[in-house]
Amino acid sequence: MNTATLCRVVARPGAFCRRLAATFVAAITLTLMVFVPAASARTRCKGAHTPIRFTSRRVLQRAVVCLINRQRRERGLPGLRSSSQLNRSAQGWTNVMVNSRDFSHGTDFAARISAVGFDWSNVGENIATGYRTASTVVRAWMASPGHCQNILSPIYREVGTGVRDRPIAGYSSSTGTWTQDFGLLMNQPAASDNYGPADSCPYN
């Protein structure tokens, strides 16, 4: 029986993880079957529904950013800009998790982000394993309060995405491990002061 796992953290204390039962994964899939036709009327996110093993990392990274920006813009928030520095941070950590079989944010996720040269004032991170497509992982994050709050935070301006076509052994038997790093650079103002969408998380 397949499982999928999510974890989220922000620069201040308060990380949490949870394992999602197969029934929850099935519910996510069913919701996608209902909503994908409606989404097709909006701007398409290339590669959003393509299984992870059949497309490139770059396509998947762009699909995730497209999908989360769709969620933000539908709720009156500005979109996030893809950051090459945060992409390096997120991809590096995704590789570490898969290779070490350790599903966590490590001892100091903010230091990892600083190490790639991102001079931050606020940062956050979502991780997940066991999701085969960009659309399924984003939908799972949006259905989880803390992960959804990272995606819809009015503070962040930039985002990076990491992805591997392998699960983390012991946490999932289904393909796909993902990391999202969110950030606001030092001396930048917050993107918005609209906390309403994040306060209303999750969205199923």
Side-chain angles (χ1 to χ4, degrees):
M1 185 175 288
N2 289 341
T3 60
T5 306
L6 302 174
C7 191
R8 168 256 188 176
V9 69
V10 293
R12 47 198 167 279
F16 63 90
C17 303
R18 61 187 174 124
R19 183 158 304 175
L20 305 179
T23 53
F24 183 67
V25 177
I28 293 171
T29 304
L30 179 59
T31 303
L32 279 170
M33 290 173 66
V34 172
F35 283 99
V36 165
S40 66
R42 297 173 288 181
T43 302
R44 293 180 183 271
C45 294
K46 181 181 177 181
H49 306 290
T50 305
I52 196 170
R53 288 182 173 171
F54 298 105
T55 191
S56 69
R57 177 191 302 166
R58 181 167 293 185
V59 167
L60 292 166
Q61 288 172 325
R62 289 175 176 171
V64 168
V65 175
C66 177
L67 289 166
I68 65 172
N69 280 340
R70 176 188 289 170
Q71 295 288 342
R72 289 175 64 88
R73 289 175 176 133
E74 285 180 353
R75 295 171 176 86
L77 295 168
L80 301 179
R81 185 179 73 88
S82 180
S83 161
S84 60
Q85 292 170 320
L86 293 180
N87 278 341
R88 287 200 304 274
S89 171
Q91 188 60 51
W93 189 245
T94 302
N95 294 340
V96 167
M97 287 193 296
V98 170
N99 295 339
S100 66
R101 301 182 178 185
D102 177 23
F103 184 74
S104 75
H105 296 279
T107 57
D108 190 349
F109 90 100
R112 285 192 276 106
I113 293 175
S114 296
V116 298
F118 191 86
D119 186 21
W120 58 271
S121 62
N122 287 275
V123 286
E125 183 170 86
N126 288 346
I127 58 177
T129 191
Y131 297 92
R132 291 186 175 94
T133 66
S135 60
T136 55
V137 73
V138 170
R139 188 166 293 279
W141 279 329
M142 289 299 296
S144 172
H147 302 87
C148 172
Q149 287 165 6
N150 269 349
I151 290 171
L152 298 182
S153 171
I155 294 174
Y156 302 130
R157 286 180 173 270
E158 304 195 39
V159 65
T161 308
V163 57
R164 281 282 296 275
D165 65 353
R166 291 171 53 194
I168 298 174
Y171 291 90
S172 177
S173 58
S174 183
T175 297
T177 297
W178 309 76
T179 302
Q180 267 191 321
D181 284 338
F182 303 87
L184 180 71
L185 287 166
M186 193 69 69
N187 300 322
Q188 275 188 324
S192 170
D193 61 0
N194 180 10
Y195 283 86
D199 289 343
S200 297
C201 283
Y203 296 88
N204 294 318

